[in-house]
Amino acid sequence: MKNKSSEASEVVILERCWIVEFRSKTDVSIVLKFQSAEPDLYLEAASKPYCVSWAVALGEANSEGLQNKIQQLRRLIMEIKEERSSDEARQFLPSSQIDSLGEPQFTSIQRTADQPKLEFSLACKDLVAATRDRKLNTFIQVSVVHPAQHILTRYSSTEIVEGTRDPLFLTGVTFPPEYPIYEETKIKLTVYDVKDKSQDTVRTSVLLPDHKEPRADVGRSFLGCTTFTVGDLVKSKEQQLTLTLRTSDGGKTVGTIEVNLVKMGELEDGETDHITAEAQDQKCALVRECTATEGVSGKDNLPSLNAVLKNPICKLYRFPTSDNKWMRIREQMAETTLSFHVPKELINLHIKEDMRRNQELKDLGELAPHWDNMRKSVIAHCDQMLSMYQDTLAELGKHTGSSFKSSCSKGEKTLEFIPINLHLQRMHVHSPRLKDALYDVITVGAPAAHFQGFKNGGLRKLLSKFEAERRNTGYQCIYYSPENTAKAKEVLSNINHLQPLISSHADLLLNSASQHSPDSLKNSLKMLSEKTELFVHTFKDQLVRSALLALYTARPGCVLKKPAVPRNSAEEGADLQHQDHPSQIKRQDSIPHHSEYDEEEWDRVWANVGKSLNCVIAMVDRLLEKDNISNTKEGENDHSAADRKVLHTGDWYEQLYPLVITLKDCMGEVVTRAKQSMAFVLLQELACGLPQCLMLTLRRDIVFSQALTGLVCGFIIKLHTGLHDQGFLQQLHTVGLLVQYEGLLSTYSEEAGMLEDMAVGISDLQKVMFKVIEAKSEDFLPIITGRREHYVIEVQLPAKMFELLPQEIKEGKLLRMYPVLFNVGINEQQTLAERFGDTTLQENINQENLELLKEYYKLFTEKMPPDCLPHFQEQNDLKGLLENLHQNIQAKKRKNVEIMWLAAMICRKLNGVRFTCCKSAKDRTSMSVTLEQCSILRDEHQLHKDFFIRALDCMRSRQTQGALNESDDPETGCLTDNKPTSRHFYPVALLLVSSHLLVVWLILSLALLLAKYQ
């Protein structure tokens, strides 16, 4: 140390020391403290800024800090050299070649279209540490140099392997089919040593200024690097490369690295005996994804599956089995284009349905002042809601970019119909002695109306409260039960569906008559009879009769006649059988406004449709009978036969035409009355709860949209996976598909409302039917038809795939869904709910869905042969698993995750689709999925017991202690290595403002700590 203008008076060795800076703004001194028990050294600066700069300088002025600076400079020099060499190479290229770099001609890698282009594993040997006694904690960073661009791009990294100079990395490198990699592509492998911060020689408590960026190399040091081309690896005889690791200047050798080409369908040579106990204890701390580049497309044998999946993120692992063999695991996470496609289709259907309903309300005709004012109010509110749906659809049509909604956007109004973080999580396992297996889990945020909030609870509570309030509003409107309201919607839907069909078949009947085609006439009559009988059956309900009477009383100046006893169905059937001529049908006028109302009038009106049909059937029978008699006569010449055919043609059409017209008129009269009566029922439903009714409908539409999107994605993926499994296809059309949702929401605060929304949304999926059709174009996205509470999803398959389906499915049989939800809260909030709150909601949901699961199992055992179960059915009895699940649900044990294990196992054994959900499909969901995957590897694929924890750490990658930093969210693309151990400690400075807040903070912190370490 020296003064400004003097010689050095003292030399201080800055090793094994730390720096203490005083936080006072007026204090400008720092203290050097030494571990060697030497006296402290006090230093004083002229001002506070000088004090801070001296503290930073002293903190970096040690041998290790200087080495880090030198290595950092070397890396910068190498990167500059690589960029300069690529620029120089472009300068010497002819202009024609430079212009053609946009579409270069490189040697592609030959792989099947649905398999990754390149996969390899890594291992290092004889790594050299900076100090002799240091144990290395290493990982490999993989970078790619594209031959056309000559730009170094960081691609992925392995996990960190601690405590060895011969690390064997379980995490490999995989390039998806869409990635632009060629034989000329260069791959750079850089090995880093991750420091143990507890052994740093200098520690400082000085905070860096706000404007100064933290160093990129904090916590790790450069060991060596090497490069190779993809062609060298692919063309090598043993498909293995042994490369020398060298320092940044290319002079010193620091070890070797082995690169092994991986093919999932082939067994890896050799056993795992060389893995020592030291290697088995190696810890895995970090895994980074390798992401497919957007905008790069490749050929694929499954275009229909590619139409719904995009942007895959792949990982590759190799784990030892219990018999010292290697098994390979490919993990894939992919987005789905359905995240926006399905909600937009649904909103479009909602708009059409609401517009049709508003028109039906306007077509009710003249009403008394009270009812007319009510109708105007309802239509005004409905128009506002319709406008909101239209605005939402327009905003979604403008959306570009990512095909999924991140958790940070869950509160955005324009995206409230979109599911949160909807992804496919797939694990492909290749075991040495077992068949390859695929395990799929759909991960998605809990379907809930986040924008509307949960202040008053979720749908389950709100619907119950709304129904109770409706019963008490009878003085304002007529109360109809939810069942009757649903029945009215069904009647309207059947009318809108059947009326055009009947008219079409009636026209075909007349066309067959004009062509004098007996076979075509029979077929047309058969279809007309079937549809008309369905049409007549629709109105055999007391609701239509009572609604017509209610509508009549709502007319101005109505007068009631003493009601007559309604005839039973037997008398009505007798009338249908004995009526055979249109002249006997009495046409009815429209509903009277200022005259007596006859309740039997409706029976006669809709019965006339059946009578008209009987007349048509009788006339066709007579015509066909006469035609048969005339055809039996022989001996007449051809000319007279031709004249007779022309005569008969005219007779057939002329005799059928008035009967068909009468049928259409009778049907039109029934349609007019029935539509008005059912619209009046819907008017009561809307009027009794404005505006709550419409807001609940909106909330239910939002939740259902999110739930349905996930279901469609899961069904399509399951259909593609099981396309060659005849047992599964038989189960699909005979019994239906089991869909199991694993919920991880707590029953505390807002998450209780989310759980209520989720329960209703998943329950509504029971009314969804699927239908598989052959695609007529290259657009394989699903088609949605129907109305609220009755949707049909048409899944399109290419012709070759469609031919693999059973005849029943190809003929258009509707496929049923059986969704079940089991929820177990596992976070700190659930601990509060169990100790100070209420868990009844979770218990009721689990019990209700257990009954649904038992119902599905009963149908399965009744309709399916026993040999259709998966191969591991022999190990566990499904009946015993169901009984065990029942006992665990009845036990009401705190955080009983056994419920989740059993439900998931039953779902897999029954060929079901698995969903895992939490609030945002991030922390709890990823912890659950990775634990389930490792458990499957252990139980089904003989994962070595000593590698269970390490395999779990590899799959969980950057997750630490069950929490993810917000900047580590895969959605944002940001990566950090530093994680907080807890999110639940609040700024004390804010709490000190009030002693009451401080007490509350202490209580909450204590409760959360108890929950964490329970």
Side-chain angles (χ1 to χ4, degrees), residues 80-255:
I80 293 172
K81 284 182 178 180
E82 290 177 354
E83 292 178 0
R84 184 175 298 171
S85 62
S86 63
D87 293 337
E88 291 175 355
R90 292 178 65 90
Q91 291 177 4
F92 289 101
L93 286 175
S95 58
S96 59
Q97 294 187 23
I98 294 177
D99 295 337
S100 64
L101 285 179
E103 296 181 1
Q105 299 297 324
F106 297 118
T107 307
S108 60
I109 301 174
Q110 299 298 326
R111 281 288 186 100
T112 56
D114 58 342
Q115 295 295 320
K117 285 189 176 180
L118 180 69
E119 293 179 315
F120 56 85
S121 59
L122 299 168
C124 293
K125 288 186 179 181
D126 304 323
L127 296 179
V128 178
T131 57
R132 182 174 299 179
D133 58 344
R134 173 171 172 75
K135 288 188 176 181
L136 296 175
N137 307 319
T138 54
F139 75 92
I140 300 177
Q141 180 175 284
V142 182
S143 303
V144 178
V145 181
H146 194 276
Q149 300 172 348
H150 298 280
I151 297 176
L152 188 69
T153 305
R154 291 183 180 180
Y155 183 73
S156 69
S157 294
T158 66
E159 80 274 16
I160 293 177
V161 179
E162 298 184 3
T164 179
R165 298 190 180 189
D166 300 318
L168 178 68
F169 298 99
L170 301 184
T171 305
V173 182
T174 178
F175 293 87
E178 299 85 0
Y179 196 87
I181 189 169
Y182 309 94
E183 291 188 6
E184 294 81 4
T185 302
K186 285 186 178 181
I187 295 179
K188 179 181 178 181
L189 305 176
T190 308
V191 182
Y192 290 96
D193 176 23
V194 179
K195 302 175 185 177
D196 187 351
K197 295 182 180 180
S198 63
Q199 297 185 9
D200 285 351
T201 58
V202 175
R203 299 187 298 265
T204 178
S205 59
V206 177
L207 296 176
L208 294 177
D210 295 338
H211 65 275
K212 186 172 182 179
E213 294 294 333
R215 298 200 315 270
D217 61 338
V218 169
R220 70 183 188 183
S221 61
F222 174 83
L223 285 183
C225 63
T226 186
T227 60
F228 68 93
T229 63
V230 174
D232 294 340
L233 177 61
V234 175
K235 295 177 180 179
S236 60
K237 289 185 178 181
E238 298 180 356
Q239 295 187 335
Q240 175 181 331
L241 296 178
T242 302
L243 307 171
T244 302
L245 287 170
R246 297 186 181 276
T247 55
S248 56
D249 56 5
K252 185 180 177 181
T253 300
V254 293

Side-chain angles (χ1 to χ4, degrees), residues 51-68:
C51 181
V52 173
S53 62
W54 269 101
V56 174
L58 291 172
E60 297 177 347
N62 58 81
S63 59
E64 189 171 356
L66 293 174
Q67 289 176 1
N68 289 336

Side-chain angles (χ1 to χ4, degrees), residues 301-304 719-720 723-724 726 729 770-776 780 794-813 815:
N301 292 331
L302 299 177
S304 57
L719 180 63
H720 281 79
L723 204 56
H724 298 277
Q726 295 302 318
L729 295 176
F770 279 79
K771 182 180 180 181
V772 184
I773 62 174
E774 183 178 353
K776 302 301 182 182
F780 299 105
E794 297 182 353
V795 177
Q796 303 186 81
L797 289 182
K800 292 182 179 180
M801 299 176 66
F802 187 75
E803 289 302 320
L804 300 175
L805 297 173
Q807 190 63 32
E808 293 85 350
I809 298 180
K810 288 195 288 187
E811 291 176 354
K813 183 175 182 179
L815 311 175

Side-chain angles (χ1 to χ4, degrees), residues 421-490:
N421 271 346
L422 177 60
H423 287 90
L424 164 68
Q425 181 77 18
R426 167 169 289 181
M427 182 175 68
H428 178 197
V429 183
H430 176 73
S431 300
R433 296 179 180 175
L434 298 175
K435 291 183 178 180
D436 284 15
L438 283 178
Y439 299 94
D440 291 339
V441 178
I442 308 297
T443 60
V444 63
H450 292 274
F451 176 79
Q452 297 189 21
F454 309 95
K455 182 178 180 180
N456 299 316
L459 274 173
R460 192 178 173 104
K461 180 186 295 183
L462 292 173
L463 289 172
S464 176
K465 181 180 179 181
F466 173 73
E467 189 60 30
E469 291 176 350
R470 278 189 60 203
R471 291 191 177 96
N472 299 325
T473 57
Y475 64 94
Q476 295 178 351
C477 56
I478 303 173
Y479 172 76
Y480 288 97
S481 66
E483 294 76 15
N484 284 333
T485 303
K487 180 66 178 177
K489 295 177 181 178
E490 182 182 356

Side-chain angles (χ1 to χ4, degrees), residues 843-1011:
E843 294 167 2
N844 292 340
I845 289 175
N846 290 343
Q847 184 61 45
E848 292 168 5
N849 286 273
L850 175 63
E851 299 303 319
L852 294 175
L853 183 58
K854 288 181 177 179
E855 178 185 346
Y856 180 84
Y857 173 71
K858 182 180 178 182
L859 289 173
F860 183 88
T861 53
E862 290 176 352
K863 297 184 178 181
M864 294 296 296
D867 58 348
C868 67
L869 292 171
H871 65 279
F872 45 82
Q873 168 61 22
E874 300 174 357
Q875 303 175 10
N876 294 289
D877 179 48
L878 266 174
K879 188 175 181 180
L881 290 174
L882 279 169
E883 183 60 31
N884 196 358
L885 178 61
H886 175 78
Q887 293 174 1
N888 276 275
I889 291 176
Q890 294 296 326
K892 299 181 180 180
K893 179 183 174 182
R894 291 181 178 179
K895 294 186 179 180
N896 190 1
V897 295
E898 191 71 17
I899 294 175
M900 299 288 94
W901 289 107
L902 292 169
M905 190 180 300
I906 293 171
C907 176
R908 287 195 299 269
K909 293 180 183 300
L910 289 174
N911 294 318
V913 179
R914 287 265 298 114
F915 283 79
T916 300
C917 311
C918 66
K919 180 178 179 180
S920 301
K922 293 194 302 181
D923 301 354
R924 283 168 279 179
T925 296
S926 57
M927 296 290 283
S928 173
V929 170
T930 51
L931 181 59
E932 179 184 356
Q933 289 181 165
C934 287
S935 300
I936 291 174
L937 294 178
R938 178 193 60 195
D939 299 336
E940 307 295 341
H941 299 277
Q942 303 175 1
L943 173 66
H944 197 290
K945 61 180 181 180
D946 294 335
F947 279 79
F948 181 85
I949 298 299
R950 188 174 170 191
L952 188 62
D953 290 339
C954 286
M955 288 186 174
R956 287 180 174 176
S957 63
R958 288 174 305 280
Q959 299 178 37
T960 303
Q961 299 180 4
L964 273 178
N965 206 1
E966 189 64 24
S967 58
D968 293 333
D969 190 349
E971 312 157 341
T972 63
C974 301
L975 307 177
T976 65
D977 294 336
N978 301 319
K979 318 288 188 304
T981 57
S982 178
R983 291 178 171 181
H984 306 290
F985 293 96
Y986 313 102
V988 180
L990 296 176
L991 296 169
L992 288 177
V993 175
S994 169
S995 59
H996 298 289
L997 290 176
L998 179 60
V999 172
V1000 171
W1001 173 76
L1002 290 173
I1003 295 174
L1004 288 176
S1005 299
L1006 180 61
L1008 292 170
L1009 282 173
L1010 290 174

